[in-house]
Amino acid sequence: MTTEALLAEISIAFPPVKMPGKSDLRFHRDSCFHCDYLARDLDIFRGEPVGAAVIWVLHRELSSLSAKGWAWALPHYLPFCLSPEAQDKRTETEFLLYSLAPVEKFEAETRVRLSALSRQQVACLVHFVEWCKAHPHWGSYCPSEIEDALNFLKRMQA
């Protein structure tokens, strides 16, 4: 799949949604400082376009996002990972791949985080990871994580 085709699929599968309230962004409801910091740091950007600064905040704490948070973030995060800026920095894509390739003991939590996604959106994530697999950098940089992410997402589709 070409980058352009994947961007077109993302724009259809992931229409933008409004940023959830601070408490709805958090994965953990009670006294989790990671979730607290993420909600606070993202709230600074409330009402503004989602750009590189928001993606930078998100990438460090993807595991602190709720299902509603993932549904809000992915329409912005995925296209960013395909942008020239992300191709230079690469950390945002790397962290997303790791987040989509949970070890067995975190699979249930990751399923909860992704539970607000439709079947079409999960299929689009599979295509994104397949794009990474074919990418010259990602395919050689983290092939086992890519395979783990593909296997996890395909199990989600079943």
Side-chain angles (χ1 to χ4, degrees):
M1 176 173 284
T2 67
T3 302
E4 294 77 22
L6 183 55
L7 282 167
E9 181 180 351
I10 291 167
S11 71
I12 293 167
F14 289 94
V17 297
K18 186 177 176 184
M19 180 192 280
K22 280 174 74 172
S23 64
D24 285 336
L25 281 168
R26 308 163 46 93
F27 181 73
H28 300 105
R29 294 283 173 218
D30 54 342
S31 301
C32 171
F33 71 92
H34 289 290
C35 291
D36 289 343
Y37 289 137
L38 177 63
R40 182 203 65 206
D41 291 348
L42 288 174
D43 203 49
I44 295 167
F45 298 101
R46 188 168 300 283
E48 296 181 18
V50 178
V54 174
I55 302 299
W56 181 251
V57 170
L58 286 169
H59 97 278
R60 297 173 295 181
E61 298 292 344
L62 287 169
S63 65
S64 297
L65 275 178
S66 67
K68 288 180 181 180
W70 275 84
W72 162 74
L74 285 173
H76 309 285
Y77 202 104
L78 288 170
F80 182 84
C81 289
L82 302 176
S83 72
E85 183 176 358
Q87 296 302 311
D88 291 338
K89 290 172 41 177
R90 296 188 171 149
T91 54
E92 295 86 356
T93 305
E94 180 179 357
F95 277 66
L96 178 57
L97 287 169
Y98 294 154
S99 294
L100 296 174
V103 294
E104 187 177 343
K105 87 178 203 180
F106 294 114
E107 275 196 25
E109 276 190 9
T110 305
R111 282 180 177 272
V112 171
R113 284 186 190 95
L114 300 179
S115 65
L117 302 182
S118 69
R119 293 180 79 57
Q120 179 187 24
Q121 290 170 326
V122 174
C124 186
L125 284 176
V126 169
H127 296 152
F128 170 77
V129 175
E130 289 172 342
W131 177 89
C132 290
K133 184 176 182 176
H135 189 274
H137 172 73
W138 295 117
S140 63
Y141 180 73
C142 53
S144 63
E145 288 81 3
I146 287 172
E147 285 305 315
D148 291 346
L150 282 172
N151 290 332
F152 172 73
L153 291 169
K154 287 178 180 178
R155 284 192 303 276
M156 281 191 64
Q157 289 179 309

